[in-house]
Amino acid sequence: MRRQLIALGMLCGLLPGFVVHTHAAEAPAVSAASAVLMDAEAGRVLYAHNEQEPRAIASTTKLMTALVAAEYLGGDLSETVEIKREWTGIEGTSLYLKPGETITLKTLLYGLLLHSGNDAAVALAGICGGEVETFVGWMNQRAQDLGMTNTHFSDPNGLGDENHYASALDMAKLGVACLQNPTVAEILSTRTITLEGRQLTNHNKLLWLLPGAEGIKTGFTKAAGRILVSSAQRQGRRLVAATMDAPDDWRDHQALLEAGFADFRIVPIISAGEQLGLRTILGGAGKVRLVAGEDFAFALAQGEQPQIVIGGQNFAYAPVAQGAEAGTAYVLLSGKIVGRVPLVYGETVEQLPPEKKSPWQRLFGK
């Protein structure tokens, strides 16, 4: 991997959020109306097709339901709750909860994600939020927190109206967030489990079809078509794919994930302690090294050449202390900022004592 180090100078332009849109290779052909493949660690969108178009998301809604519920409940899911009548009799896929039944939070969460229980979604919303509407408000707030800019939820299970939607890109962001939650990630990767007499089997076939698959969630309604969010991890790399209205979603995801692992690799670009530039110290002796404060790596395709730009002025005033903040180095790819690394001073530079002048020099300003 080659890189270009650009001289000191002011850097203009907006800094990115988590997701970086830089495509380096042609995406595999897919059946999906919308599709995206993201590198979860680098935050780079590797392939995309209509990725920001809002669409119905069906039961993949339950990823947000599970994330918000797990964050609210914490790691202990052994508590038993009593099922209220208003949480039962929900249409569609169901755990067939009964009024007055007692059940653990663990069974509800597993039933939500593995069996896609619509009643489990309503029960968890009621347990956590008191009112389902309150919980749905939390879901929408969490979507904003994750940068899901083309998303709105109107219920916790995906049976909602035309005001219930998300984009493929937003669902990939949600998938990444779910994998970062240990409780949710463990459930999503479970193939089959029996809890309190209920045998629950994951609907995600990729757990059996694709090496390194970590599961996540399926969804389907006649209006939405087939929706799938998936993830796979190999050699420390994690990729997340999302497709919407995809008649051949299993093949779509296998093609996307395999291409992502084959066409891109994580490349170290900056190493902590590496000298990236020099800065003139006014009132001090000469120049001081600017060194990287941390490592930075990024997903790159063959032949891509990142650039490193040091922002800010090319001088500073003495004194400066070794290890003190010295600005930021930006990593660019195809002219877009894909990362930033803090800079620190490599040495201490003391302020020079003022020069002593003779009466003649003081008189004539020399």
Side-chain angles (χ1 to χ4, degrees):
M1 185 274 298
R2 292 188 296 167
R3 66 181 192 183
Q4 181 181 1
L5 181 61
I6 300 178
L8 283 165
M10 295 298 294
L11 181 69
C12 298
L14 298 175
L15 298 181
F18 172 74
V19 176
V20 181
H21 290 75
T22 50
H23 306 287
E26 185 177 352
V30 294
S31 69
S34 297
V36 67
L37 178 69
M38 179 186 296
D39 189 293
E41 305 302 326
R44 182 180 186 183
V45 173
L46 307 181
Y47 303 117
H49 171 63
N50 294 334
E51 74 275 18
Q52 300 199 56
E53 184 177 332
R55 291 180 174 272
I57 54 176
S59 284
T60 54
T61 298
K62 292 162 187 167
L63 289 170
M64 182 61 85
T65 305
L67 180 63
V68 173
E71 290 174 343
Y72 178 85
L73 296 169
D76 184 8
L77 302 178
S78 61
E79 180 183 349
T80 299
V81 295
E82 183 176 333
I83 299 300
K84 295 182 179 181
R85 181 172 298 277
E86 59 264 33
W87 302 342
T88 65
I90 310 301
E91 64 177 296
T93 310
S94 178
L95 287 184
Y96 300 103
L97 300 174
K98 299 177 182 178
E101 174 187 3
T102 57
I103 191 170
T104 64
L105 296 171
K106 181 176 181 178
T107 300
L108 284 176
L109 269 173
Y110 273 82
L112 172 77
L113 291 176
L114 269 60
H115 191 67
S116 203
N118 290 327
D119 50 357
V122 174
L124 284 165
I127 292 164
C128 297
E131 299 290 338
V132 172
E133 293 76 13
T134 299
F135 187 86
V136 172
W138 295 353
M139 293 170 66
N140 284 311
Q141 181 58 56
R142 194 70 178 94
Q144 291 183 33
D145 295 342
L146 294 174
M148 298 171 65
T149 56
N150 293 298
T151 293
H152 187 269
F153 297 104
S154 57
D155 65 44
N157 47 34
L159 297 174
D161 52 25
E162 67 277 359
N163 201 35
H164 189 99
Y165 55 81
S167 67
L169 178 59
D170 284 357
M171 292 309 295
K173 294 178 184 179
L174 177 56
V176 172
C178 286
L179 291 170
Q180 291 171 342
N181 183 287
T183 299
V184 178
E186 181 178 354
I187 298 172
L188 293 173
S189 65
T190 300
R191 294 188 178 189
T192 184
I193 191 172
T194 300
L195 296 171
E196 300 182 90
R198 289 178 166 89
Q199 185 173 355
L200 307 171
T201 300
N202 202 316
H203 293 176
N204 195 324
K205 295 181 180 180
L206 292 178
L207 286 170
W208 289 267
L209 295 174
L210 184 73
E214 300 176 294
I216 301 195
K217 188 77 181 72
T218 62
F220 172 77
T221 63
K222 288 184 178 179
R226 296 179 62 84
I227 316 295
L228 179 60
V229 183
S230 71
S231 174
Q233 188 169 187
R234 296 179 189 173
Q235 298 179 335
R237 285 190 66 200
R238 171 176 281 161
L239 304 182
V240 174
T243 55
M244 311 184 80
D245 192 10
D248 201 5
D249 52 3
W250 302 120
R251 285 194 177 91
D252 286 354
H253 281 245
Q254 290 181 80
L256 286 167
L257 290 164
E258 291 290 2
F261 284 120
D263 294 345
F264 294 83
R265 62 190 180 97
I266 296 293
V267 178
I269 296 175
I270 295 175
S271 300
E274 177 184 358
Q275 178 180 330
L276 296 179
L278 294 171
R279 180 168 291 163
T280 299
I281 303 301
L282 302 180
K287 297 184 177 182
V288 63
R289 294 182 305 125
L290 301 177
V291 301
E294 59 188 42
D295 297 332
F296 179 78
F298 197 66
L300 296 177
Q302 183 69 32
E304 287 189 312
Q305 300 179 21
Q307 298 174 323
I308 300 173
V309 179
I310 298 176
Q313 301 291 338
N314 61 0
F315 65 90
Y317 293 96
V320 298
Q322 183 179 19
E325 294 182 5
T328 304
Y330 300 93
V331 181
L332 278 68
L333 194 63
S334 301
K336 296 181 180 180
I337 300 172
V338 298
R340 67 201 81 175
V341 172
L343 293 171
V344 297
Y345 290 111
E347 301 76 38
T348 295
V349 178
E350 301 290 351
Q351 186 173 12
L352 294 175
E355 181 182 357
K356 293 183 179 180
K357 295 183 178 181
S358 67
W360 179 268
Q361 290 173 316
R362 290 196 296 271
L363 180 62
F364 292 98
K366 295 182 179 181

